[in-house]
């Protein structure tokens, strides 16, 4: 896979992609930006990496920051067969799309591979923010 400027280090998530197999879709930059417009870009930011949750419907906050915490949120907010887009805090790693069940099965790899990431549930329009050491916030994406 040849990438320029975006996704320069796909090996950073190679274990997740290998474990998920053909269930994982590595997004192009254009696909990444289209999904970001439907999710991340609908939130203000507090600084360059944290979303501002004021004025949005926060569904849940969790101080847990391991795979079990993410797995529980995925099961609560992800529908069967629902596509989840995982955005990493570093654009050097390409965004991926997987079914919620696949992300749950590999939740430790997701949170273990980054300091921050966001997971967008495409059907339920829920976004989960993960900040290492701080935990998770799940919120409804504003219209």
């Amino acid at each position: 896979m040849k990438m320029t400027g975006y996704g320069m280090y796909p090996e950073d998530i190679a274990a997740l992609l290998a474990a998920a197999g053909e269930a994982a879709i590595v997004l192009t930059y254009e696909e990444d930006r289209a999904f970001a417009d439907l999710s991340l870009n609908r939130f203000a930011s507090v600084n360059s990496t944290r979303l501002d949750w004021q004025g949005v419907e926060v569904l849940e906050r969790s101080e847990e920051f391991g795979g079990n915490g993410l797995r529980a949120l995925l099961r609560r907010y992800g529908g069967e067969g629902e596509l989840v887009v995982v955005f990493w805090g570093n654009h050097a790693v390409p965004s991926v799309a997987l079914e919620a069940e696949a992300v749950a099965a590999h939740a430790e790899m997701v949170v273990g591979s980054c300091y921050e990431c966001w997971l967008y549930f495409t059907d339920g329009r829920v976004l989960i923010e993960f900040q290492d050491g701080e935990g998770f916030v799940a919120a409804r994406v504003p219209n």
Side-chain angles (χ1 to χ4, degrees):
M1 169 183 326
K2 183 178 182 223
M3 297 185 200
T4 56
Y6 166 77
M8 295 177 295
Y9 305 105
E11 63 275 6
D12 288 355
I13 56 167
L16 173 63
L17 297 176
E22 292 185 19
I25 302 164
V26 177
L27 301 181
T28 65
Y29 180 76
E30 291 76 19
E31 291 166 333
D32 169 272
R33 295 295 78 203
F35 278 114
D37 284 344
L38 295 172
S39 59
L40 289 172
N41 295 347
R42 294 182 182 262
F43 293 87
S45 62
V46 173
N47 59 34
S48 63
T49 63
R50 286 177 173 49
L51 298 180
D52 184 355
W53 302 109
Q54 291 186 1
V56 300
E57 181 186 356
V58 173
L59 302 169
E60 186 172 347
R61 293 178 187 268
S62 170
E63 292 182 8
E64 184 168 344
F65 50 91
N68 287 336
L70 177 56
R71 189 173 294 104
L73 291 169
L74 285 157
R75 290 186 176 140
R76 264 194 293 288
Y77 299 109
E80 185 175 333
E82 182 168 9
L83 189 67
V84 174
V85 176
V86 182
F87 300 95
W88 313 99
N90 181 346
H91 272 285
V93 180
S95 298
V96 298
L98 305 127
E99 288 187 359
E101 296 86 359
V103 180
H106 306 293
E108 286 81 6
M109 289 182 193
V110 172
V111 297
S113 66
C114 63
Y115 294 110
E116 60 198 10
C117 67
W118 297 267
L119 296 94
Y120 172 54
F121 296 73
T122 58
D123 294 340
R125 298 188 37 83
V126 169
L127 185 74
I128 294 175
E129 178 178 61
F130 168 69
Q131 295 285 335
D132 189 29
E134 296 179 28
F136 301 97
V137 177
R140 186 94 37 217
V141 175
N143 290 325

